């Protein structure tokens, strides 16, 4: 167990979510609270990337878990830092898929209002990776994701370890079924 305490995980939530959710709670309970960080990310991509960069550097993060938009950010940092990343129904083109959300939005976790500006769509492009291969990924997809087409992620991460569960949804509500697999990727 000593290797587990030295390893720190940063969880990156999806659009309009926050650092404390049902999925986060399950992951934190499994991996241990002091080794698992799950901040509330700001809606502005440049601010979110700066926050993530600072946490990776100051908190000695060595693995990322990203869900949806958090998967997009996790990919960016896994590529530039050659890190391990677990991606859960990741967004690969938020500049396209989030276009219809420009305007005032409400966070799912606490109903807090925030403005999602049209300029953010262009900002996402600053962090788009043309290809993946420097990071070490486990990509968890569910075929009945009602927000993102899982086949897009399958194509984009084709050289990585991908697990597709037929059924499910965008929230990937049965993450507990994959905790041992995530642990195995963490330890390899």
């Amino acid at each position: 167990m000593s290797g587990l305490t030295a390893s720190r995980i940063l969880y990156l939530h999806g659009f309009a979510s926050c650092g404390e959710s049902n999925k986060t709670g399950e992951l934190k309970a499994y991996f241990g609270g002091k080794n698992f960080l799950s901040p509330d990310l700001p809606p502005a991509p440049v601010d979110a990337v700066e926050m993530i960069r600072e946490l990776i550097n100051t908190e000695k993060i060595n693995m990322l878990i990203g869900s949806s938009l958090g998967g997009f950010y996790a990919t960016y940092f896994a590529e530039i830092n050659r890190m391990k990343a677990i991606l859960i129904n990741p967004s690969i083109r938020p500049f396209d898929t989030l276009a219809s959300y420009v305007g005032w939005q409400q966070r799912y976790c606490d109903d807090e209002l925030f403005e999602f500006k049209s300029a953010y769509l262009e900002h996402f492009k600053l962090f788009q990776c043309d290809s993946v291969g420097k990071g070490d990924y486990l990509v968890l997809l569910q075929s009945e994701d009602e927000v993102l087409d899982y086949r897009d992620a399958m194509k984009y991460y084709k050289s990585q370890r991908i697990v597709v569960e037929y059924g499910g949804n965008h929230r990937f509500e049965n993450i507990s079924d994959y905790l041992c697999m995530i642990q195995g990727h963490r330890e390899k």
Side-chain angles (χ1 to χ4, degrees):
M1 291 298 269
S2 62
L4 296 180
T5 58
S7 180
R8 306 226 40 210
I9 298 171
L10 178 60
Y11 175 79
L12 306 172
H13 63 75
F15 178 77
S17 190
C18 59
E20 294 300 324
S21 66
N22 292 339
K23 193 181 327 169
T24 310
E26 289 186 60
L27 291 162
K28 189 181 284 188
Y30 186 83
F31 290 108
K34 68 179 184 174
N35 295 315
F36 188 91
L37 300 173
S38 57
D40 290 346
L41 298 175
V46 173
D47 294 342
V49 165
E50 185 54 38
M51 174 190 270
I52 297 164
R53 179 179 286 115
E54 186 166 326
L55 286 169
I56 288 171
N57 292 333
T58 60
E59 298 294 333
K60 308 288 191 270
I61 301 298
N62 53 16
M63 190 173 92
L64 303 167
I65 300 177
S67 180
S68 191
L69 180 57
F72 175 80
Y73 291 134
T75 300
Y76 174 73
F77 283 101
E79 288 298 301
I80 64 174
N81 295 316
R82 298 180 182 270
M83 297 176 75
K84 289 184 180 187
I86 310 298
L87 308 178
I88 304 165
N89 286 334
S91 174
I92 58 173
R93 289 186 314 275
F95 39 85
D96 291 333
T97 56
L98 291 177
S100 63
Y101 293 91
V102 170
W104 286 96
Q105 300 297 323
Q106 198 168 23
R107 290 191 339 175
Y108 304 119
C109 53
D110 59 9
D111 296 331
E112 182 179 314
L113 289 175
F114 68 96
E115 186 177 9
F116 186 68
K117 300 177 181 179
S118 62
Y120 297 167
L121 299 173
E122 287 302 310
H123 296 170
F124 284 128
K125 293 178 182 178
L126 299 171
F127 309 109
Q128 175 70 21
C129 298
D130 292 331
S131 62
V132 294
K134 295 176 185 165
D136 181 5
Y137 301 93
L138 169 60
V139 183
L140 303 176
L141 304 171
Q142 291 188 329
S143 68
E144 295 300 316
D145 184 333
E146 68 282 6
V147 176
L148 302 170
D149 188 335
Y150 78 100
R151 295 169 294 193
D152 293 338
M154 282 182 62
K155 290 176 199 164
Y156 185 71
Y157 296 101
K158 66 182 176 232
S159 64
Q160 303 300 316
R161 183 172 179 210
I162 299 172
V163 176
V164 178
E165 178 180 343
Y166 291 92
N169 57 35
H170 186 65
R171 294 183 63 170
F172 213 107
E173 293 171 351
N174 63 325
I175 193 65
S176 60
D177 294 344
Y178 293 86
L179 294 173
C180 288
M181 186 180 296
I182 293 169
Q183 180 66 32
H185 188 76
R186 179 185 191 200
E187 293 176 349
K188 76 172 190 140

